[in-house]
Amino acid sequence: MKYIVLLLICFTTQSILSQDSAAYENATKKFQENFNAQNIDAIFDMYTTEMQETMTKDGVSDFVKGCYGQFGNLKKMTFVETAEGVNTYTAEFDKTNLTMDLQLSNDGKISSIQFLEL
């Protein structure tokens, strides 16, 4: 009986992690497409309400345009690790590589995003 319960826990955990992984994969793909297209409205809509209130659309516009001007197109994002609910990626741009930390809300919206030098 213990093994059946343990097996069910493993399957449930794997299912939850797969859903979480799919949400992050979808979010990173959409972010990359919208970043490269300089679609500020679409990126702003990807943010949680709290992030929208904190960043404002003008802030998001400055962030995206500034990063695009400095780094170029976002060519590829490679998953590195998950720590404390934050997924870390290597973000490969035309002009440089950066670390990108991304956290999503339960409904798949961006609740935190930042780029850091490697």
Side-chain angles (χ1 to χ4, degrees), residues 65-110:
K65 289 178 181 178
C67 287
Y68 189 83
Q70 189 174 1
F71 309 128
N73 278 315
L74 178 53
K75 298 190 301 186
K76 182 169 93 171
M77 287 184 277
T78 305
F79 176 77
V80 176
E81 68 177 352
T82 300
E84 298 180 20
V86 177
N87 279 17
T88 300
Y89 300 84
T90 299
E92 182 181 329
F93 291 88
D94 287 332
K95 300 175 185 175
T96 192
N97 291 340
L98 300 173
T99 296
M100 182 181 84
D101 290 336
L102 178 69
Q103 185 172 33
L104 300 179
S105 65
N106 291 337
D107 61 351
K109 297 269 189 173
I110 296 173

Side-chain angles (χ1 to χ4, degrees), residues 2-19:
K2 285 186 204 179
Y3 294 112
I4 292 173
V5 172
L6 183 60
L7 191 60
L8 287 173
I9 291 171
C10 288
F11 283 133
T12 303
T13 303
Q14 183 178 8
S15 174
I16 290 169
L17 292 176
S18 294
Q19 290 172 350

Side-chain angles (χ1 to χ4, degrees), residues 4 20 49 53 86 101 114:
I4 292 173
D20 202 33
T49 303
E53 290 170 359
V86 177
D101 290 336
Q114 67 178 351

